[in-house]
Amino acid sequence: MRKDKILLVEDDSTLSFIIQDALTREGFDVICASNGETGLRIFKESSPDIVVADVMMPKMDGFEMVRLIRLSSPAVPVLFLTARTALDDVVKGFELGANDYLRKPFQLAELIVRIKSLLNRTRLKYQEDASITLEDCDLDFSSQRLKINGETIELTHIEAVILNELFSHPDAVVETRDLMIRIWNNDDYNNLNRLHGFIHKLRKHLSKSASLDIINARGLGYKLTTKKSIELI
């Protein structure tokens, strides 16, 4: 049976050894790197199932490494380990495509639980085909591209996640809470305005479509529906 492969990027050699040992005992295949530059190279060579990375590292920090990873791999889960507790740092990590973060110092048992949770969630979320076609729009989640009448729009990771959820449930309300949990792994009210901002950008993208639009379900969330059906309301 194939083991889940973890890329651990941590410049503290002692902590890296402790984490690697604990994860190996849990049955994971663990590959280690001591900085973001090496981590990025190993990621491209080994195609891990999940990335666990420190933020503050030499040569290339965790933020930049994940930004570059997300250019080609939007779906692989990323968990940041960080001693930085400022809200801006946490927000930046999620906007770059992180799925979760754990503040140092932490318990190894919590790290293991979070890794397993991310792996399970990823399997459930991406069992479906990466490409979804609705009306005159085609969403390719794996490449983070939206095609509308032949025109290609490059999406950010968060934009692709939101559209993937909406395209997977056409004409149904996708709750705000569910979207925030999928994007930021929590439903913190402070993220609500940021979510509205991403929806606003996606509406601009879909203005090129003759068929699809995103409408508000007041107090609940959003619905992807056809412009024709909106006109009949």
Short mmCIF file of all heavy atoms in Angstrom, two decimals, residues 54-56 81-86 102-105:
data_model
loop_
_atom_site.label_atom_id
_atom_site.label_comp_id
_atom_site.label_asym_id
_atom_site.label_seq_id
_atom_site.Cartn_x
_atom_site.Cartn_y
_atom_site.Cartn_z
N ASP A 54 7.80 25.61 7.46
CA ASP A 54 8.04 26.77 8.31
C ASP A 54 7.88 28.02 7.45
O ASP A 54 7.96 27.96 6.22
CB ASP A 54 9.47 26.67 8.87
CG ASP A 54 9.74 27.71 9.95
OD1 ASP A 54 8.77 28.32 10.44
OD2 ASP A 54 10.91 27.90 10.29
N VAL A 55 7.63 29.15 8.09
CA VAL A 55 7.52 30.42 7.36
C VAL A 55 8.88 31.11 7.26
O VAL A 55 9.33 31.46 6.17
CB VAL A 55 6.50 31.35 8.03
CG1 VAL A 55 6.52 32.73 7.37
CG2 VAL A 55 5.10 30.76 7.94
N MET A 56 9.55 31.31 8.38
CA MET A 56 10.83 32.01 8.39
C MET A 56 11.97 31.04 8.14
O MET A 56 12.29 30.21 8.99
CB MET A 56 11.03 32.71 9.74
CG MET A 56 9.98 33.76 10.03
SD MET A 56 10.02 35.12 8.83
CE MET A 56 11.60 35.87 9.23
N LEU A 81 3.89 26.05 9.56
CA LEU A 81 4.32 26.07 10.95
C LEU A 81 4.95 27.43 11.18
O LEU A 81 5.86 27.83 10.45
CB LEU A 81 5.37 24.98 11.22
CG LEU A 81 4.98 23.55 10.85
CD1 LEU A 81 6.17 22.61 11.09
CD2 LEU A 81 3.77 23.09 11.66
N THR A 82 4.48 28.19 12.16
CA THR A 82 4.98 29.54 12.31
C THR A 82 5.01 30.01 13.75
O THR A 82 4.11 29.69 14.54
CB THR A 82 4.15 30.53 11.47
OG1 THR A 82 4.64 31.85 11.66
CG2 THR A 82 2.68 30.48 11.86
N ALA A 83 6.05 30.76 14.08
CA ALA A 83 6.13 31.42 15.39
C ALA A 83 5.56 32.82 15.28
O ALA A 83 5.41 33.51 16.28
CB ALA A 83 7.58 31.47 15.85
N ARG A 84 5.23 33.24 14.06
CA ARG A 84 4.67 34.58 13.84
C ARG A 84 3.17 34.53 14.07
O ARG A 84 2.45 33.74 13.47
CB ARG A 84 4.97 35.03 12.41
CG ARG A 84 6.46 35.08 12.12
CD ARG A 84 6.78 35.26 10.65
NE ARG A 84 6.38 36.57 10.15
CZ ARG A 84 6.75 37.03 8.96
NH1 ARG A 84 7.51 36.30 8.16
NH2 ARG A 84 6.36 38.22 8.55
N THR A 85 2.70 35.39 14.94
CA THR A 85 1.29 35.35 15.34
C THR A 85 0.49 36.54 14.84
O THR A 85 -0.71 36.61 15.08
CB THR A 85 1.16 35.28 16.88
OG1 THR A 85 1.82 36.43 17.45
CG2 THR A 85 1.80 34.01 17.42
N ALA A 86 1.15 37.48 14.15
CA ALA A 86 0.43 38.65 13.66
C ALA A 86 -0.64 38.24 12.66
O ALA A 86 -0.41 37.37 11.81
CB ALA A 86 1.41 39.63 13.02
N LEU A 102 -0.22 26.21 12.00
CA LEU A 102 -0.07 25.76 13.38
C LEU A 102 1.01 26.62 14.02
O LEU A 102 2.13 26.71 13.50
CB LEU A 102 0.31 24.29 13.41
CG LEU A 102 0.24 23.55 14.74
CD1 LEU A 102 -1.16 23.62 15.34
CD2 LEU A 102 0.63 22.08 14.54
N ARG A 103 0.67 27.24 15.13
CA ARG A 103 1.63 28.13 15.78
C ARG A 103 2.61 27.33 16.64
O ARG A 103 2.23 26.40 17.33
CB ARG A 103 0.90 29.15 16.66
CG ARG A 103 0.17 30.24 15.88
CD ARG A 103 -0.23 31.37 16.81
NE ARG A 103 -0.86 32.46 16.07
CZ ARG A 103 -2.16 32.68 16.03
NH1 ARG A 103 -2.98 31.88 16.69
NH2 ARG A 103 -2.65 33.70 15.35
N LYS A 104 3.87 27.72 16.58
CA LYS A 104 4.89 27.13 17.44
C LYS A 104 4.85 27.80 18.82
O LYS A 104 4.62 29.01 18.90
CB LYS A 104 6.29 27.34 16.84
CG LYS A 104 6.51 26.65 15.50
CD LYS A 104 7.92 26.96 14.99
CE LYS A 104 8.20 26.29 13.66
NZ LYS A 104 9.55 26.59 13.16
N PRO A 105 5.11 27.05 19.90
CA PRO A 105 5.31 25.60 19.95
C PRO A 105 3.98 24.86 19.85
O PRO A 105 2.94 25.40 20.20
CB PRO A 105 5.95 25.40 21.33
CG PRO A 105 5.38 26.51 22.16
CD PRO A 105 5.23 27.69 21.22
#
